[in-house]
Amino acid sequence: MEKPTWMQDEALKDIPAAKLEMLMQIHEKSKGKNQKELMAYFAQISRRQQDKDALTFTQEELKLIFNTIKKHATLAEQEKIEKILEKRFH
């Protein structure tokens, strides 16, 4: 499994490898899914994240990750990311 360009960005160097690996798995498993399938998939992930042993991200980590992804995204993807950021952090 090849890492997407954004995951190789120097800005993510301080995020633990286990968290980046989890993101990589989410990235791979979400490919080709339509919006309804993605929502179901992310709901499943959210339920798993409620487990006390689950990896969690701080707000700072999430902002950094989204902004890093945005740097490597197309204009259309950047617009979608902005909408997510607005809903999540505002």
Side-chain angles (χ1 to χ4, degrees), residues 3 22 25 49-50 52 58-59 61 64 73 75 90:
K3 284 186 179 181
M22 182 177 74
Q25 290 172 3
Q49 290 303 91
Q50 293 173 5
K52 67 180 176 90
T58 65
Q59 280 222 329
E61 287 174 328
L64 178 65
L75 186 56
H90 293 112

Side-chain angles (χ1 to χ4, degrees), residues 16-63:
K19 290 182 180 184
L20 291 176
E21 180 62 31
M22 182 177 74
L23 285 176
M24 179 100 148
Q25 290 172 3
I26 291 169
H27 172 78
E28 286 298 314
K29 290 180 180 178
S30 64
K31 284 183 180 177
K33 294 188 182 323
N34 64 35
Q35 186 172 1
K36 185 177 179 180
E37 292 169 328
L38 280 173
M39 295 307 290
Y41 177 62
F42 288 128
Q44 178 185 17
I45 291 169
S46 292
R47 283 191 296 278
R48 273 192 258 142
Q49 290 303 91
Q50 293 173 5
D51 179 3
K52 67 180 176 90
D53 296 324
L55 291 174
T56 58
F57 293 88
T58 65
Q59 280 222 329
E60 292 77 25
E61 287 174 328
L62 288 173
K63 285 180 184 178

Side-chain angles (χ1 to χ4, degrees), residues 4 10 31 36-37 40 43 76 78-79 82 87:
E10 183 67 18
K31 284 183 180 177
K36 185 177 179 180
E37 292 169 328
Q78 289 176 12
E79 290 172 358
E82 268 307 311
K87 289 179 183 178

